Amino acid sequence: MQLHFSPSMRSITISSSSSNGFIDLMKIKVAARHISYRTLFHTILILAFLLPFVFILTAVVTLEGVNKCSSFDCLGRRLGPRFLGRGDDSGRQVRDLYKILHQVNTEEIPHGLKVPDSFSHLVSDMKNNQYDARTFALVLRAMMEKFERDLRESRFSELMNKHFAASSIPKGIHCLSLRLTDEYSSNAHARKQLPPPELLPLLSNNSYHHFILSTDNILAASVVVTSTVQSSLKPEKIVFHVITDKKTYAGMHSWFALNPVSPAIVEVKGVHQFDWLTRENVPVLEAVENQNGIRDYYHGNHVAGANLSDTTPRRFASKLQARSPKYISLLNHLRIYIPELFPNLDKVVFLDDDVVIQRDLSPLWEINLGGKINGAVETCKGDDEWVMSKHFRNYFNFSHPLIAKHLDPDECAWAYGMNIFDLRAWRKTKIRETYHSWLKENLKSNLTMWKLGTLPPALIAFKGHVHPIDPSWHMLGLGYQSNTNIESVKKAAVIHYNGQSKPWLQIGFEHLRPFWTKYVNYSNDFIRNCHILES
């Protein structure tokens, strides 16, 4: 049996095959007013084409959980956007949430509003109290502001504790000084002359490489001297002049007498042993060290009277660093008197006590300073905001008329801590007098011209007398930043732990401390008995 549609789709003939051919069994005529079978045929074809896609969409929706719908209305709400080519309405929800948060941000938080202590408590409160969107946003804002205040207060407390830790003397280092001082009084070997009498002429021999170190930290001094000697290609050409204060002199002398660094030569002198360095020659420094107002500034309560809401933790940390007691120490200012303290020397390298030498420094004596006095690394050529992006504006108060008149805020700063000094050229200048005069002006202005210790007056005094040297000679910031690049540290000739996190303190950065501790002799009886920090 077969169906035959007429070309016009107006009739359908049903026929059956026989031995004589096809026999028409029925012929149906379709009226024009009825539905067009061509249309019906095309409709069937379209539905047959769409059926697989409908099946797939239904399967996907079912997997997504549409089967949980309990009514055709629910199914329609889920399927409708898909058939219409629209996704979910998360974008609209985000816009609505942003609108609510923006409105709440301008409102006052109600007094006494209960603030959850954690996110889980917030979720629990939402479930129990049936928060609407506005209430949720308000509670969330109050919660965030409380956490910000707590975090800010914790940060300031951390900075204060770190400042006190950095300003104090660790028990182990204090023990070392006391034990060595006692050894000086009871052990003749600890009192032996440094250097031996036959080597005294070498202390003023300009064919040797003379280093100057001014410190009251015996352990730090031992690391500077040891690392310099061990890194040198010609240790027999090294002469160290270690200057300390009267109370530390005996202990410092004992250490280097009992722990020689031959073939290098070490001289230890106390400030009281320099004839030139008398009270008449350092009146300004006496004032800086003894004036009550100055002492209160450096040793007083650093939080009292400070409006912490008007400052940032970073600015507060900078102010704390500026109030380190070491900045009023005579030992810290002593470098400005080097030409007078060592009248027979022509060229020296000055080192801070928080440096480690990792490479031979003898090439420093070959650097042509071009008639300048101070060979130093400039600190305005780097991306690091803490250490290597410093200009005069970072150290001076340019709202002060004297500062604004004489200094350029964009002038490049340079680093103290590893400096080559041409003493012959220095003696022909008025650098020391300039340094003194600006210190006096700052004292008169109640420290309103600058706050940070010895570098600002030196920046002024050495203005025009600085020769930039390659930055690889002196890498700074190891006491400021925990993210210091280790590979750069390894390559630097001198690494400088300037900042609060000194390597001999518990607050020192653990991954940077080994560069320093490798030069500490932990087998030494004095160090072992004083339980000096080892890492």
PDB file of all heavy atoms in Angstrom, residues 209 211 228 231-234 237-238 347 349 357-369 418 420 467 469-470 472-473 493-494:
ATOM      1  N   HIS A 209      95.675  49.428  53.236  1.00  0.00           N
ATOM      2  CA  HIS A 209      94.256  49.762  53.080  1.00  0.00           C
ATOM      3  C   HIS A 209      93.657  49.946  54.477  1.00  0.00           C
ATOM      4  O   HIS A 209      93.502  48.972  55.229  1.00  0.00           O
ATOM      5  CB  HIS A 209      93.521  48.657  52.321  1.00  0.00           C
ATOM      6  CG  HIS A 209      94.048  48.435  50.938  1.00  0.00           C
ATOM      7  ND1 HIS A 209      94.061  47.205  50.319  1.00  0.00           N
ATOM      8  CD2 HIS A 209      94.597  49.303  50.044  1.00  0.00           C
ATOM      9  CE1 HIS A 209      94.583  47.314  49.114  1.00  0.00           C
ATOM     10  NE2 HIS A 209      94.909  48.580  48.923  1.00  0.00           N
ATOM     11  N   PHE A 211      90.736  50.805  57.113  1.00  0.00           N
ATOM     12  CA  PHE A 211      89.294  50.800  57.354  1.00  0.00           C
ATOM     13  C   PHE A 211      89.030  51.418  58.717  1.00  0.00           C
ATOM     14  O   PHE A 211      89.772  51.176  59.671  1.00  0.00           O
ATOM     15  CB  PHE A 211      88.745  49.369  57.338  1.00  0.00           C
ATOM     16  CG  PHE A 211      88.808  48.696  56.002  1.00  0.00           C
ATOM     17  CD1 PHE A 211      89.925  47.963  55.634  1.00  0.00           C
ATOM     18  CD2 PHE A 211      87.747  48.787  55.107  1.00  0.00           C
ATOM     19  CE1 PHE A 211      89.986  47.323  54.415  1.00  0.00           C
ATOM     20  CE2 PHE A 211      87.799  48.155  53.877  1.00  0.00           C
ATOM     21  CZ  PHE A 211      88.919  47.421  53.520  1.00  0.00           C
ATOM     22  N   THR A 228      85.599  41.202  56.348  1.00  0.00           N
ATOM     23  CA  THR A 228      86.512  41.979  55.494  1.00  0.00           C
ATOM     24  C   THR A 228      87.794  41.208  55.227  1.00  0.00           C
ATOM     25  O   THR A 228      88.257  41.111  54.083  1.00  0.00           O
ATOM     26  CB  THR A 228      86.849  43.329  56.152  1.00  0.00           C
ATOM     27  OG1 THR A 228      85.641  44.041  56.423  1.00  0.00           O
ATOM     28  CG2 THR A 228      87.721  44.162  55.238  1.00  0.00           C
ATOM     29  N   SER A 231      87.261  37.997  53.079  1.00  0.00           N
ATOM     30  CA  SER A 231      86.891  38.280  51.687  1.00  0.00           C
ATOM     31  C   SER A 231      88.015  38.933  50.905  1.00  0.00           C
ATOM     32  O   SER A 231      87.901  39.112  49.693  1.00  0.00           O
ATOM     33  CB  SER A 231      85.653  39.190  51.648  1.00  0.00           C
ATOM     34  OG  SER A 231      84.562  38.591  52.305  1.00  0.00           O
ATOM     35  N   SER A 232      89.082  39.311  51.592  1.00  0.00           N
ATOM     36  CA  SER A 232      90.165  40.056  50.948  1.00  0.00           C
ATOM     37  C   SER A 232      91.140  39.138  50.222  1.00  0.00           C
ATOM     38  O   SER A 232      91.449  38.034  50.686  1.00  0.00           O
ATOM     39  CB  SER A 232      90.924  40.881  51.997  1.00  0.00           C
ATOM     40  OG  SER A 232      92.031  41.532  51.408  1.00  0.00           O
ATOM     41  N   LEU A 233      91.615  39.602  49.089  1.00  0.00           N
ATOM     42  CA  LEU A 233      92.669  38.891  48.360  1.00  0.00           C
ATOM     43  C   LEU A 233      94.046  39.223  48.920  1.00  0.00           C
ATOM     44  O   LEU A 233      95.010  38.498  48.672  1.00  0.00           O
ATOM     45  CB  LEU A 233      92.606  39.253  46.869  1.00  0.00           C
ATOM     46  CG  LEU A 233      91.310  38.884  46.134  1.00  0.00           C
ATOM     47  CD1 LEU A 233      91.374  39.356  44.683  1.00  0.00           C
ATOM     48  CD2 LEU A 233      91.043  37.385  46.205  1.00  0.00           C
ATOM     49  N   LYS A 234      94.133  40.339  49.665  1.00  0.00           N
ATOM     50  CA  LYS A 234      95.397  40.754  50.264  1.00  0.00           C
ATOM     51  C   LYS A 234      95.168  41.140  51.727  1.00  0.00           C
ATOM     52  O   LYS A 234      95.272  42.307  52.107  1.00  0.00           O
ATOM     53  CB  LYS A 234      95.991  41.943  49.514  1.00  0.00           C
ATOM     54  CG  LYS A 234      96.313  41.644  48.045  1.00  0.00           C
ATOM     55  CD  LYS A 234      96.845  42.892  47.350  1.00  0.00           C
ATOM     56  CE  LYS A 234      97.171  42.613  45.896  1.00  0.00           C
ATOM     57  NZ  LYS A 234      97.671  43.837  45.194  1.00  0.00           N
ATOM     58  N   LYS A 237      97.434  43.416  53.783  1.00  0.00           N
ATOM     59  CA  LYS A 237      97.483  44.869  53.526  1.00  0.00           C
ATOM     60  C   LYS A 237      96.390  45.628  54.280  1.00  0.00           C
ATOM     61  O   LYS A 237      96.238  46.832  54.106  1.00  0.00           O
ATOM     62  CB  LYS A 237      97.331  45.117  52.022  1.00  0.00           C
ATOM     63  CG  LYS A 237      98.429  44.512  51.161  1.00  0.00           C
ATOM     64  CD  LYS A 237      99.749  45.211  51.362  1.00  0.00           C
ATOM     65  CE  LYS A 237      99.747  46.598  50.783  1.00  0.00           C
ATOM     66  NZ  LYS A 237     101.061  47.269  50.901  1.00  0.00           N
ATOM     67  N   ILE A 238      95.622  44.920  55.128  1.00  0.00           N
ATOM     68  CA  ILE A 238      94.475  45.545  55.804  1.00  0.00           C
ATOM     69  C   ILE A 238      94.874  46.056  57.190  1.00  0.00           C
ATOM     70  O   ILE A 238      95.521  45.350  57.977  1.00  0.00           O
ATOM     71  CB  ILE A 238      93.316  44.542  55.936  1.00  0.00           C
ATOM     72  CG1 ILE A 238      92.707  44.263  54.558  1.00  0.00           C
ATOM     73  CG2 ILE A 238      92.248  45.049  56.900  1.00  0.00           C
ATOM     74  CD1 ILE A 238      91.592  43.241  54.585  1.00  0.00           C
ATOM     75  N   LYS A 347      93.701  58.276  52.580  1.00  0.00           N
ATOM     76  CA  LYS A 347      92.476  57.707  52.016  1.00  0.00           C
ATOM     77  C   LYS A 347      92.025  56.544  52.891  1.00  0.00           C
ATOM     78  O   LYS A 347      92.834  55.668  53.249  1.00  0.00           O
ATOM     79  CB  LYS A 347      92.729  57.216  50.588  1.00  0.00           C
ATOM     80  CG  LYS A 347      91.483  57.047  49.733  1.00  0.00           C
ATOM     81  CD  LYS A 347      91.870  56.784  48.274  1.00  0.00           C
ATOM     82  CE  LYS A 347      90.659  56.877  47.359  1.00  0.00           C
ATOM     83  NZ  LYS A 347      91.041  56.648  45.931  1.00  0.00           N
ATOM     84  N   VAL A 349      88.439  53.848  54.045  1.00  0.00           N
ATOM     85  CA  VAL A 349      87.069  53.378  53.811  1.00  0.00           C
ATOM     86  C   VAL A 349      86.382  53.293  55.161  1.00  0.00           C
ATOM     87  O   VAL A 349      86.886  52.630  56.083  1.00  0.00           O
ATOM     88  CB  VAL A 349      87.051  52.012  53.096  1.00  0.00           C
ATOM     89  CG1 VAL A 349      85.645  51.411  53.133  1.00  0.00           C
ATOM     90  CG2 VAL A 349      87.507  52.161  51.649  1.00  0.00           C
ATOM     91  N   ILE A 357      80.995  42.245  54.621  1.00  0.00           N
ATOM     92  CA  ILE A 357      81.794  42.360  53.397  1.00  0.00           C
ATOM     93  C   ILE A 357      81.869  40.977  52.752  1.00  0.00           C
ATOM     94  O   ILE A 357      82.240  40.002  53.405  1.00  0.00           O
ATOM     95  CB  ILE A 357      83.200  42.910  53.699  1.00  0.00           C
ATOM     96  CG1 ILE A 357      83.157  44.422  53.970  1.00  0.00           C
ATOM     97  CG2 ILE A 357      84.126  42.694  52.504  1.00  0.00           C
ATOM     98  CD1 ILE A 357      82.426  44.854  55.173  1.00  0.00           C
ATOM     99  N   GLN A 358      81.510  40.904  51.469  1.00  0.00           N
ATOM    100  CA  GLN A 358      81.457  39.625  50.761  1.00  0.00           C
ATOM    101  C   GLN A 358      82.431  39.545  49.582  1.00  0.00           C
ATOM    102  O   GLN A 358      82.490  38.520  48.915  1.00  0.00           O
ATOM    103  CB  GLN A 358      80.036  39.384  50.240  1.00  0.00           C
ATOM    104  CG  GLN A 358      78.958  39.419  51.310  1.00  0.00           C
ATOM    105  CD  GLN A 358      77.594  39.047  50.769  1.00  0.00           C
ATOM    106  OE1 GLN A 358      76.947  38.138  51.258  1.00  0.00           O
ATOM    107  NE2 GLN A 358      77.141  39.745  49.730  1.00  0.00           N
ATOM    108  N   ARG A 359      83.158  40.637  49.338  1.00  0.00           N
ATOM    109  CA  ARG A 359      84.069  40.667  48.197  1.00  0.00           C
ATOM    110  C   ARG A 359      85.290  41.509  48.557  1.00  0.00           C
ATOM    111  O   ARG A 359      85.215  42.377  49.443  1.00  0.00           O
ATOM    112  CB  ARG A 359      83.335  41.266  46.992  1.00  0.00           C
ATOM    113  CG  ARG A 359      83.861  40.800  45.645  1.00  0.00           C
ATOM    114  CD  ARG A 359      82.906  41.121  44.523  1.00  0.00           C
ATOM    115  NE  ARG A 359      82.822  42.532  44.211  1.00  0.00           N
ATOM    116  CZ  ARG A 359      81.706  43.159  43.845  1.00  0.00           C
ATOM    117  NH1 ARG A 359      80.582  42.500  43.780  1.00  0.00           N
ATOM    118  NH2 ARG A 359      81.731  44.433  43.564  1.00  0.00           N
ATOM    119  N   ASP A 360      86.384  41.271  47.881  1.00  0.00           N
ATOM    120  CA  ASP A 360      87.606  42.027  48.117  1.00  0.00           C
ATOM    121  C   ASP A 360      87.364  43.514  47.852  1.00  0.00           C
ATOM    122  O   ASP A 360      86.888  43.897  46.784  1.00  0.00           O
ATOM    123  CB  ASP A 360      88.699  41.494  47.190  1.00  0.00           C
ATOM    124  CG  ASP A 360      89.999  42.256  47.343  1.00  0.00           C
ATOM    125  OD1 ASP A 360      90.338  42.606  48.488  1.00  0.00           O
ATOM    126  OD2 ASP A 360      90.667  42.504  46.318  1.00  0.00           O
ATOM    127  N   LEU A 361      87.691  44.349  48.824  1.00  0.00           N
ATOM    128  CA  LEU A 361      87.440  45.789  48.708  1.00  0.00           C
ATOM    129  C   LEU A 361      88.673  46.592  48.294  1.00  0.00           C
ATOM    130  O   LEU A 361      88.592  47.820  48.182  1.00  0.00           O
ATOM    131  CB  LEU A 361      86.915  46.341  50.046  1.00  0.00           C
ATOM    132  CG  LEU A 361      85.578  45.783  50.547  1.00  0.00           C
ATOM    133  CD1 LEU A 361      85.133  46.537  51.797  1.00  0.00           C
ATOM    134  CD2 LEU A 361      84.496  45.858  49.483  1.00  0.00           C
ATOM    135  N   SER A 362      89.771  45.932  48.055  1.00  0.00           N
ATOM    136  CA  SER A 362      90.980  46.677  47.689  1.00  0.00           C
ATOM    137  C   SER A 362      90.810  47.536  46.430  1.00  0.00           C
ATOM    138  O   SER A 362      91.443  48.603  46.339  1.00  0.00           O
ATOM    139  CB  SER A 362      92.165  45.719  47.527  1.00  0.00           C
ATOM    140  OG  SER A 362      91.896  44.725  46.560  1.00  0.00           O
ATOM    141  N   PRO A 363      89.970  47.133  45.431  1.00  0.00           N
ATOM    142  CA  PRO A 363      89.783  48.019  44.270  1.00  0.00           C
ATOM    143  C   PRO A 363      89.206  49.389  44.607  1.00  0.00           C
ATOM    144  O   PRO A 363      89.306  50.315  43.803  1.00  0.00           O
ATOM    145  CB  PRO A 363      88.823  47.223  43.365  1.00  0.00           C
ATOM    146  CG  PRO A 363      89.041  45.796  43.739  1.00  0.00           C
ATOM    147  CD  PRO A 363      89.299  45.837  45.216  1.00  0.00           C
ATOM    148  N   LEU A 364      88.614  49.539  45.786  1.00  0.00           N
ATOM    149  CA  LEU A 364      88.064  50.848  46.164  1.00  0.00           C
ATOM    150  C   LEU A 364      89.152  51.916  46.221  1.00  0.00           C
ATOM    151  O   LEU A 364      88.901  53.091  45.937  1.00  0.00           O
ATOM    152  CB  LEU A 364      87.359  50.753  47.521  1.00  0.00           C
ATOM    153  CG  LEU A 364      86.063  49.938  47.572  1.00  0.00           C
ATOM    154  CD1 LEU A 364      85.535  49.870  49.000  1.00  0.00           C
ATOM    155  CD2 LEU A 364      84.997  50.530  46.652  1.00  0.00           C
ATOM    156  N   TRP A 365      90.370  51.499  46.595  1.00  0.00           N
ATOM    157  CA  TRP A 365      91.462  52.472  46.689  1.00  0.00           C
ATOM    158  C   TRP A 365      91.952  52.908  45.298  1.00  0.00           C
ATOM    159  O   TRP A 365      92.659  53.882  45.177  1.00  0.00           O
ATOM    160  CB  TRP A 365      92.614  51.890  47.491  1.00  0.00           C
ATOM    161  CG  TRP A 365      92.453  52.120  48.961  1.00  0.00           C
ATOM    162  CD1 TRP A 365      93.017  53.108  49.726  1.00  0.00           C
ATOM    163  CD2 TRP A 365      91.651  51.366  49.868  1.00  0.00           C
ATOM    164  NE1 TRP A 365      92.616  53.005  51.026  1.00  0.00           N
ATOM    165  CE2 TRP A 365      91.777  51.938  51.161  1.00  0.00           C
ATOM    166  CE3 TRP A 365      90.828  50.246  49.735  1.00  0.00           C
ATOM    167  CZ2 TRP A 365      91.136  51.438  52.279  1.00  0.00           C
ATOM    168  CZ3 TRP A 365      90.179  49.749  50.852  1.00  0.00           C
ATOM    169  CH2 TRP A 365      90.339  50.344  52.103  1.00  0.00           C
ATOM    170  N   GLU A 366      91.534  52.164  44.274  1.00  0.00           N
ATOM    171  CA  GLU A 366      91.935  52.505  42.909  1.00  0.00           C
ATOM    172  C   GLU A 366      90.926  53.403  42.204  1.00  0.00           C
ATOM    173  O   GLU A 366      91.178  53.897  41.104  1.00  0.00           O
ATOM    174  CB  GLU A 366      92.126  51.218  42.086  1.00  0.00           C
ATOM    175  CG  GLU A 366      93.057  50.198  42.712  1.00  0.00           C
ATOM    176  CD  GLU A 366      94.438  50.770  42.980  1.00  0.00           C
ATOM    177  OE1 GLU A 366      94.931  51.558  42.144  1.00  0.00           O
ATOM    178  OE2 GLU A 366      95.027  50.435  44.031  1.00  0.00           O
ATOM    179  N   ILE A 367      89.771  53.610  42.810  1.00  0.00           N
ATOM    180  CA  ILE A 367      88.737  54.450  42.193  1.00  0.00           C
ATOM    181  C   ILE A 367      89.185  55.909  42.187  1.00  0.00           C
ATOM    182  O   ILE A 367      89.599  56.453  43.215  1.00  0.00           O
ATOM    183  CB  ILE A 367      87.395  54.307  42.939  1.00  0.00           C
ATOM    184  CG1 ILE A 367      86.829  52.890  42.765  1.00  0.00           C
ATOM    185  CG2 ILE A 367      86.375  55.334  42.422  1.00  0.00           C
ATOM    186  CD1 ILE A 367      85.540  52.644  43.510  1.00  0.00           C
ATOM    187  N   ASN A 368      89.113  56.521  41.032  1.00  0.00           N
ATOM    188  CA  ASN A 368      89.438  57.946  40.905  1.00  0.00           C
ATOM    189  C   ASN A 368      88.207  58.765  41.278  1.00  0.00           C
ATOM    190  O   ASN A 368      87.185  58.739  40.581  1.00  0.00           O
ATOM    191  CB  ASN A 368      89.877  58.255  39.470  1.00  0.00           C
ATOM    192  CG  ASN A 368      90.302  59.705  39.288  1.00  0.00           C
ATOM    193  OD1 ASN A 368      90.271  60.509  40.227  1.00  0.00           O
ATOM    194  ND2 ASN A 368      90.713  60.053  38.083  1.00  0.00           N
ATOM    195  N   LEU A 369      88.290  59.460  42.375  1.00  0.00           N
ATOM    196  CA  LEU A 369      87.150  60.250  42.848  1.00  0.00           C
ATOM    197  C   LEU A 369      87.003  61.575  42.108  1.00  0.00           C
ATOM    198  O   LEU A 369      86.074  62.346  42.380  1.00  0.00           O
ATOM    199  CB  LEU A 369      87.274  60.511  44.354  1.00  0.00           C
ATOM    200  CG  LEU A 369      87.260  59.264  45.260  1.00  0.00           C
ATOM    201  CD1 LEU A 369      87.357  59.679  46.723  1.00  0.00           C
ATOM    202  CD2 LEU A 369      86.027  58.423  45.007  1.00  0.00           C
ATOM    203  N   MET A 418      79.221  52.666  53.830  1.00  0.00           N
ATOM    204  CA  MET A 418      80.412  52.205  53.125  1.00  0.00           C
ATOM    205  C   MET A 418      80.838  53.357  52.231  1.00  0.00           C
ATOM    206  O   MET A 418      80.279  53.576  51.167  1.00  0.00           O
ATOM    207  CB  MET A 418      80.119  50.948  52.307  1.00  0.00           C
ATOM    208  CG  MET A 418      81.377  50.167  51.906  1.00  0.00           C
ATOM    209  SD  MET A 418      82.345  50.931  50.588  1.00  0.00           S
ATOM    210  CE  MET A 418      81.282  50.691  49.189  1.00  0.00           C
ATOM    211  N   ILE A 420      84.159  55.848  50.692  1.00  0.00           N
ATOM    212  CA  ILE A 420      85.588  56.088  50.457  1.00  0.00           C
ATOM    213  C   ILE A 420      85.823  57.572  50.702  1.00  0.00           C
ATOM    214  O   ILE A 420      85.180  58.422  50.057  1.00  0.00           O
ATOM    215  CB  ILE A 420      85.985  55.749  49.011  1.00  0.00           C
ATOM    216  CG1 ILE A 420      85.395  54.405  48.584  1.00  0.00           C
ATOM    217  CG2 ILE A 420      87.496  55.751  48.848  1.00  0.00           C
ATOM    218  CD1 ILE A 420      85.338  54.227  47.092  1.00  0.00           C
ATOM    219  N   HIS A 467      81.240  61.660  44.929  1.00  0.00           N
ATOM    220  CA  HIS A 467      81.478  60.963  43.664  1.00  0.00           C
ATOM    221  C   HIS A 467      80.685  59.652  43.688  1.00  0.00           C
ATOM    222  O   HIS A 467      80.953  58.783  44.519  1.00  0.00           O
ATOM    223  CB  HIS A 467      82.962  60.662  43.484  1.00  0.00           C
ATOM    224  CG  HIS A 467      83.263  59.844  42.255  1.00  0.00           C
ATOM    225  ND1 HIS A 467      83.312  60.388  40.994  1.00  0.00           N
ATOM    226  CD2 HIS A 467      83.519  58.506  42.104  1.00  0.00           C
ATOM    227  CE1 HIS A 467      83.599  59.448  40.121  1.00  0.00           C
ATOM    228  NE2 HIS A 467      83.724  58.296  40.766  1.00  0.00           N
ATOM    229  N   ILE A 469      79.586  55.931  43.122  1.00  0.00           N
ATOM    230  CA  ILE A 469      80.270  54.682  42.763  1.00  0.00           C
ATOM    231  C   ILE A 469      79.214  53.648  42.374  1.00  0.00           C
ATOM    232  O   ILE A 469      78.013  53.837  42.625  1.00  0.00           O
ATOM    233  CB  ILE A 469      81.147  54.159  43.921  1.00  0.00           C
ATOM    234  CG1 ILE A 469      80.297  53.827  45.151  1.00  0.00           C
ATOM    235  CG2 ILE A 469      82.227  55.171  44.257  1.00  0.00           C
ATOM    236  CD1 ILE A 469      81.089  53.187  46.275  1.00  0.00           C
ATOM    237  N   ASP A 470      79.648  52.566  41.764  1.00  0.00           N
ATOM    238  CA  ASP A 470      78.728  51.550  41.254  1.00  0.00           C
ATOM    239  C   ASP A 470      77.891  50.956  42.398  1.00  0.00           C
ATOM    240  O   ASP A 470      78.435  50.603  43.452  1.00  0.00           O
ATOM    241  CB  ASP A 470      79.518  50.431  40.569  1.00  0.00           C
ATOM    242  CG  ASP A 470      78.617  49.502  39.780  1.00  0.00           C
ATOM    243  OD1 ASP A 470      77.948  48.657  40.413  1.00  0.00           O
ATOM    244  OD2 ASP A 470      78.572  49.633  38.540  1.00  0.00           O
ATOM    245  N   SER A 472      76.750  48.119  42.898  1.00  0.00           N
ATOM    246  CA  SER A 472      77.086  46.757  43.296  1.00  0.00           C
ATOM    247  C   SER A 472      78.065  46.723  44.474  1.00  0.00           C
ATOM    248  O   SER A 472      78.217  45.683  45.129  1.00  0.00           O
ATOM    249  CB  SER A 472      77.698  45.995  42.107  1.00  0.00           C
ATOM    250  OG  SER A 472      78.936  46.562  41.715  1.00  0.00           O
ATOM    251  N   TRP A 473      78.716  47.849  44.759  1.00  0.00           N
ATOM    252  CA  TRP A 473      79.620  47.910  45.897  1.00  0.00           C
ATOM    253  C   TRP A 473      78.878  47.923  47.233  1.00  0.00           C
ATOM    254  O   TRP A 473      79.427  47.507  48.252  1.00  0.00           O
ATOM    255  CB  TRP A 473      80.497  49.162  45.812  1.00  0.00           C
ATOM    256  CG  TRP A 473      81.632  49.053  44.847  1.00  0.00           C
ATOM    257  CD1 TRP A 473      81.797  49.725  43.671  1.00  0.00           C
ATOM    258  CD2 TRP A 473      82.787  48.209  44.965  1.00  0.00           C
ATOM    259  NE1 TRP A 473      82.961  49.370  43.055  1.00  0.00           N
ATOM    260  CE2 TRP A 473      83.603  48.432  43.831  1.00  0.00           C
ATOM    261  CE3 TRP A 473      83.216  47.288  45.926  1.00  0.00           C
ATOM    262  CZ2 TRP A 473      84.812  47.763  43.633  1.00  0.00           C
ATOM    263  CZ3 TRP A 473      84.428  46.630  45.728  1.00  0.00           C
ATOM    264  CH2 TRP A 473      85.206  46.873  44.592  1.00  0.00           C
ATOM    265  N   ALA A 493      79.064  43.474  46.960  1.00  0.00           N
ATOM    266  CA  ALA A 493      80.341  43.463  47.680  1.00  0.00           C
ATOM    267  C   ALA A 493      80.118  43.704  49.170  1.00  0.00           C
ATOM    268  O   ALA A 493      80.724  43.036  50.019  1.00  0.00           O
ATOM    269  CB  ALA A 493      81.277  44.525  47.105  1.00  0.00           C
ATOM    270  N   VAL A 494      79.267  44.666  49.486  1.00  0.00           N
ATOM    271  CA  VAL A 494      78.935  44.991  50.877  1.00  0.00           C
ATOM    272  C   VAL A 494      77.421  44.969  51.012  1.00  0.00           C
ATOM    273  O   VAL A 494      76.713  45.615  50.237  1.00  0.00           O
ATOM    274  CB  VAL A 494      79.480  46.376  51.279  1.00  0.00           C
ATOM    275  CG1 VAL A 494      79.060  46.723  52.703  1.00  0.00           C
ATOM    276  CG2 VAL A 494      80.995  46.422  51.149  1.00  0.00           C
TER     277      VAL A 494
END
